Amino acid sequence: MLVQAWYLSNSKCHRFWGNPICVGIYTPIDLPIDGLDFFQSPSHVVFWLFSLMIATLQGLRFHWAKGIDDWLIPPESVVRALMVVAFYVVIGIESQYFIPSLELIVTFSRTATHWFLTWSMVFIGLLLGVQSVQILKQRKLLQKTAQLLGNMAEWRMGSHVVDTALNNPAGLAFQKCDRRILFMDIRGFTSWCEKTSPETVAEVLDEYYRCVEPAAAKFQPLIITFTGDEIMGIYATPQQGIAAAKSMSKAALEMLELYGIGAGCGVHCGSVIEGLFGGADVRTYTVIGDVVNTAKRL
């Protein structure tokens, strides 16, 4: 059971082959003791039968028929509950020195207490199955919401800030850092906007961002922000900052020359104050200092 639980706890495991591990280990251990009589024992038959039923249902859920969890989880829960009843029946009959047969099993199950036990377990299995479906739906919704919030946080502040917030919240406090600050903006953007429709301006800006961002992201920026036609990138090393500036300039100029405009880029290095700035409702992670001002003017 421990080996099976260890294997099934791995997210990459195959559920069909993982569920019979327990009975698969038990069989070769007990087979030399019982010989071929092993397969004549009803408890062993029940063990194998229910293990394969659960393995099949889990195989369908996780591998062969994904997306129908609502229909597979309740039957799987009922099968698990009925396994207890099946073991109880065959062991109860064997304890009275009878050889289990279909007739004895039916007779044994017809008594009031056994009938009550059987249908109670079916009912409990269904309830647990429905609860599992609800929990699964809630988990998927939470995962979807968390992913959306994570994406929105990264779009606003970048993956570096989000990772820091999750793993080292103290790292968001104001601190003096040695950073490489990069600024890029479109030259003549204001005068070009005056002669261009707002729809075209929005489309060009969007295309500009989509062309330049991959070039900036290639060199592991700590933060990238877009403000109008201005792009700011913060890098950890001079090599990253300069390489990013060259790559971003090339991408921007190739795209903007189609519209008769260009872009300027500047990089400056030095000490800045870095941290989470803002009020109670609106905050942003950024850097301030003379190095930032100089980079922007360059």
Side-chain angles (χ1 to χ4, degrees):
M1 289 173 65
L2 289 173
V3 173
Q4 179 172 314
W6 168 78
Y7 176 77
L8 290 175
S9 66
N10 186 342
S11 60
K12 296 181 180 179
C13 73
H14 196 289
R15 294 282 173 165
F16 178 77
W17 300 112
N19 275 281
I21 286 177
C22 186
V23 68
I25 294 175
Y26 173 74
T27 300
I29 292 174
D30 199 32
L31 196 59
I33 301 171
D34 292 345
L36 294 179
D37 290 340
F38 176 89
F39 298 103
Q40 295 177 4
S41 170
S43 59
H44 295 160
V45 173
V46 168
F47 200 180
W48 267 106
L49 178 63
F50 278 88
S51 294
L52 291 174
M53 289 171 65
I54 294 170
T56 301
L57 289 168
Q58 289 243 312
L60 288 170
R61 276 184 58 200
F62 289 92
H63 306 289
W64 308 318
K66 294 180 180 180
I68 58 171
D69 291 341
D70 293 3
W71 299 100
L72 292 174
I73 292 177
E76 180 187 326
S77 184
V78 171
V79 169
R80 291 181 186 275
L82 286 177
M83 181 168 61
V84 178
V85 178
F87 273 118
Y88 173 76
V89 170
V90 297
I91 293 173
I93 293 173
E94 287 178 332
S95 67
Q96 298 177 24
Y97 304 101
F98 294 117
I99 299 174
S101 64
L102 182 60
E103 185 180 355
L104 275 175
I105 291 173
V106 171
T107 303
F108 189 83
S109 302
R110 277 180 178 171
T111 62
T113 53
H114 298 151
W115 184 91
F116 176 78
L117 173 65
T118 300
W119 288 104
S120 295
M121 293 302 288
V122 170
F123 183 66
I124 290 171
L126 280 173
L127 286 179
L128 291 174
V130 171
Q131 183 188 44
S132 296
V133 171
Q134 292 177 328
I135 292 172
L136 183 64
K137 286 183 176 180
Q138 290 172 351
R139 183 184 300 140
K140 287 181 177 179
L141 181 61
L142 286 172
Q143 289 173 342
K144 185 177 180 181
T145 304
Q147 184 178 9
L148 177 61
L149 291 174
N151 288 340
M152 292 176 69
E154 289 194 7
W155 293 337
R156 181 65 185 91
M157 294 187 177
S159 58
H160 168 72
V161 180
V162 174
D163 290 342
T164 302
L166 292 174
N167 301 316
N168 180 28
L172 298 178
F174 294 141
Q175 52 190 314
K176 195 172 185 179
C177 303
D178 191 35
R179 297 292 188 227
R180 272 35 67 178
I181 312 300
L182 179 154
F183 277 94
M184 170 181 277
D185 65 8
I186 298 176
R187 296 289 170 83
F189 183 70
T190 302
S191 59
W192 178 77
C193 286
E194 293 171 353
K195 300 177 288 186
T196 309
S197 67
E199 293 80 7
T200 303
V201 172
E203 290 174 2
V204 171
L205 264 182
D206 190 52
E207 186 181 355
Y208 167 64
Y209 293 152
R210 285 189 282 107
C211 288
V212 175
E213 185 186 13
K218 187 165 57 176
F219 300 95
Q220 293 85 46
L222 300 177
I223 304 169
I224 299 177
T225 60
F226 299 150
T227 308
D229 65 310
E230 178 186 273
I231 298 175
M232 181 181 75
I234 303 173
Y235 292 86
T237 69
Q239 291 80 7
Q240 289 174 317
I242 294 169
K246 291 180 179 180
S247 181
M248 291 167 63
S249 296
K250 184 175 183 295
L253 293 173
E254 288 177 354
M255 174 257 157
L256 293 173
E257 65 180 0
L258 299 174
Y259 302 94
I261 48 181
C265 189
V267 184
H268 194 39
C269 307
S271 295
V272 298
I273 300 299
E274 183 176 292
L276 198 59
F277 292 79
D281 297 325
V282 180
R283 311 191 80 185
T284 187
Y285 195 87
T286 190
V287 293
I288 62 170
D290 289 341
V291 171
V292 182
N293 298 334
T294 304
K296 187 167 184 174
R297 281 155 179 74
L298 287 173

